[in-house]
Amino acid sequence: MHQILEAIQAGAAGEELANLPVPESYRAAFVKRDEVDMFDGLDSADKDPRKSLHVDEVPTPELAPDEVYVAVMASAINFNTVWTSIFEPLPTFGFLDRLAKESAWGARHAQPYHVVGSDGSGVVLRVGSAVRNWSPGDRVTIHCNHVDDQDPSAHDDSMLATNQRIWGFESNFGGLADLAVVKANQLMPKPRHLSWEEAACNALTNSTSYRMLVSHNAGAMKQGDVVLIWGASGGLGGYAVQYVLNGGGTPVGVVSSASKVELLQELGCEAVIDRKAAGYRFWADEHTQDEKEWRRFGKDVRALAGRDPDIVFEHPGRQTMGASVFVAARGGKVVTCAATSGYMIEYDNRHLWMKLKSIVSSHFANYREAWEANRLICEGRIQPILSAVHPLEAVGDAASAVHRNVHEGKIGVLCLAPAEGEGIDDPAFRAQVGEDRITLFRRHGA
Ligand code: NAP
């Protein structure tokens, strides 16, 4: 990979890259099949990704006709890598075994190791015989919607495909590595004004937030909507706030520290609630929710926004869902894509039906939505929310920070890129967008 890195840094043409040998093995971050029981008996909080994530050489898999090899310059941590590394709610090897049964190419994925990572930026090295729109040398970002386009159910909205998967979570050979194997229909142009790590951190959560709020497949936010955003300085929330501001809405951000309040205000979100300072106790005990606390929270939201939220951007799950359903406006929507604090949800159904609210499910994004979300980054209309950067060897520390919720925005990981700040192809456009806007989270995280 050293030769490949040197060629990329020297600006080698695609033909030259295509002629360099692809190594038989590459450096990758992975969990091991024979370690899936290592945290048995521990509470979630005590399961340590630093113990289960390994960085070592793995063999390079063969390339299918619809795939490309990408030399990964940088990647990022997503919460799904935390789930894989603590083997919750299930070890992800079951996903790989299921994929293995689908086809001869799928069989490559069932290995004793699972190379994780669902984001990446880099350079195309080789394309399979069926790939039309991409060539060696193309500088790309990768989205994680892994879809078999020969399946009729994958058409219309590919997120509805029966065998839709998240690359690097439900498939192997993910992005936290020096090399990745991806389908050609996961590729998108790299934003030319961003460094490798700034370009790598967006696709998963930016596209998810786009679908949740902007797409007609989920939130379909309107101008003037009030949108309550849980975890508003986190991986999903940091983009959600930007979509609401861009779309002419009023974001009400919820976070858990004074420093995050400050960060959101710098991002342009004026209405912010510090949930820790407010001390909401939506659950009186493990089994009982406290409607008085929902009311207190609703009053606080109304005091900031002037009215109840048209959309609640929901992902914490069990801890917050009861409150989310309660505070949504009459006719409003709770758009949910996750359940970090628990997936067995309870809410008072009377508040839902009597006030004609709806709960809308959303999951990642189809290619079109991911492409649109990437285009907005390329045009400088949405900024990356990169707050910290680690080398691949420290991937366990990076995942641990996300697991412990001690981070803001996204944590980037340098793969082949030896240092931060490389890969900016259009410094003039960068200056036009504004260094301060692009690096807001990074400066805050420093
Ligand atoms: P993240 O960077 O960790 O941000 C989540 C934020 O949620 C945190 O910053 C935290 O903010 C807040 N939070 C955590 N626990 C909470 C609780 N009990 N009550 C209220 N707020 C809480 O993670 P992310 O990338 O935004 O992802 C969030 C969840 O969405 C994860 O479960 C992830 O797996 C899932 N996800 C799903 C999809 C999909 O396609 N379905 C895509 C991306 C992510 P404060 O502490 O500041 O309040």
Side-chain angles (χ1 to χ4, degrees), residues 18-68:
N19 285 325
L20 290 175
V22 172
E24 287 177 6
S25 69
Y26 64 100
R27 195 176 58 129
F30 54 84
V31 293
K32 293 182 180 174
R33 193 184 281 267
D34 61 7
E35 290 185 350
V36 299
D37 298 331
M38 70 192 294
F39 298 134
D40 280 3
L42 296 181
D43 288 340
S44 275
D46 297 326
K47 298 180 180 176
D48 188 345
R50 289 170 292 195
K51 294 190 176 137
S52 54
L53 281 171
H54 304 273
V55 177
D56 210 337
E57 293 285 307
V58 296
T60 304
E62 209 183 324
L63 196 65
D66 62 344
E67 291 176 343
V68 310

Side-chain angles (χ1 to χ4, degrees), residues 90-91 93-103 106 110 165 170:
L90 301 162
F93 287 96
F95 301 140
L96 307 185
D97 295 343
R98 221 163 299 146
L99 172 53
K101 288 188 191 132
E102 279 184 10
S103 68
R165 292 183 164 86
E170 294 163 293

Side-chain angles (χ1 to χ4, degrees), residues 105-363:
W105 292 111
R108 293 168 303 166
H109 291 257
Q111 298 292 341
Y113 53 85
H114 183 182
V115 177
V116 290
S118 302
D119 263 322
S121 66
V123 181
V124 174
L125 289 181
R126 289 282 193 286
V127 301
S129 56
V131 174
R132 289 182 296 115
N133 297 334
W134 303 92
S135 312
D138 286 345
R139 290 154 94 90
V140 294
T141 57
I142 304 165
H143 76 75
C144 63
N145 185 14
H146 182 282
V147 172
D148 171 4
D149 58 14
Q150 291 179 31
D151 191 313
S153 65
H155 294 270
D156 187 13
D157 176 6
S158 61
M159 286 308 296
L160 297 180
T162 48
N163 54 7
Q164 185 280 329
R165 292 183 164 86
I166 298 296
W167 164 69
F169 178 62
E170 294 163 293
S171 76
N172 213 329
F173 320 127
L176 285 162
D178 290 342
L179 189 91
V181 177
V182 303
K183 286 180 180 279
N185 62 16
Q186 289 177 248
L187 297 178
M188 308 186 293
K190 171 187 169 288
R192 289 172 48 77
H193 63 298
L194 299 183
S195 66
W196 292 115
E197 63 281 2
E198 289 163 349
C201 73
N202 309 300
L204 191 148
T205 53
N206 179 40
S207 311
T208 305
S209 296
Y210 178 92
R211 180 171 172 121
M212 286 178 77
L213 287 177
V214 182
S215 172
H216 61 84
N217 285 318
M221 191 200 115
K222 304 183 304 307
Q223 292 184 30
D225 276 356
V226 171
V227 182
L228 176 70
I229 302 169
W230 289 106
S233 70
L236 290 170
Y239 296 103
V241 167
Q242 297 184 63
Y243 281 115
V244 176
L245 290 171
N246 283 3
T250 304
V252 180
V254 185
V255 289
S256 64
S257 72
S259 150
K260 289 178 177 181
V261 172
E262 194 183 295
L263 173 62
L264 279 193
Q265 285 174 340
E266 271 189 72
L267 188 61
C269 180
E270 288 169 12
V272 188
I273 293 177
D274 180 341
R275 66 180 171 99
K276 217 171 198 174
Y280 304 117
R281 287 179 57 88
F282 299 140
W283 287 82
D285 60 48
E286 211 182 309
H287 307 287
T288 327
Q289 296 198 61
D290 183 348
E291 188 169 326
K292 284 197 305 303
E293 286 293 274
W294 295 348
R295 277 185 202 285
R296 180 161 77 90
F297 177 57
K299 215 169 144 198
D300 291 349
V301 173
R302 217 181 267 187
L304 286 169
R307 57 194 179 84
D308 295 330
D310 304 286
I311 299 178
V312 180
F313 185 88
E314 169 56 59
H315 50 88
R318 184 170 170 81
Q319 286 296 327
T320 55
M321 192 66 165
S324 293
V325 169
F326 179 80
V327 301
R330 194 178 186 92
K333 293 177 200 166
V334 177
V335 184
T336 176
C337 78
T340 314
S341 65
Y343 49 80
M344 295 305 280
I345 300 294
E346 277 180 37
Y347 61 87
D348 185 334
N349 204 27
R350 294 169 299 178
H351 293 299
L352 190 83
W353 96 70
M354 291 296 287
K355 295 199 172 149
L356 301 108
K357 307 179 187 187
S358 46
I359 297 175
V360 179
S361 61
S362 192
H363 185 39

Side-chain angles (χ1 to χ4, degrees), residues 400-411:
S400 167
V402 174
H403 183 30
R404 288 178 288 120
N405 189 24
V406 294
H407 68 301
E408 287 163 347
K410 299 292 302 177
I411 299 191

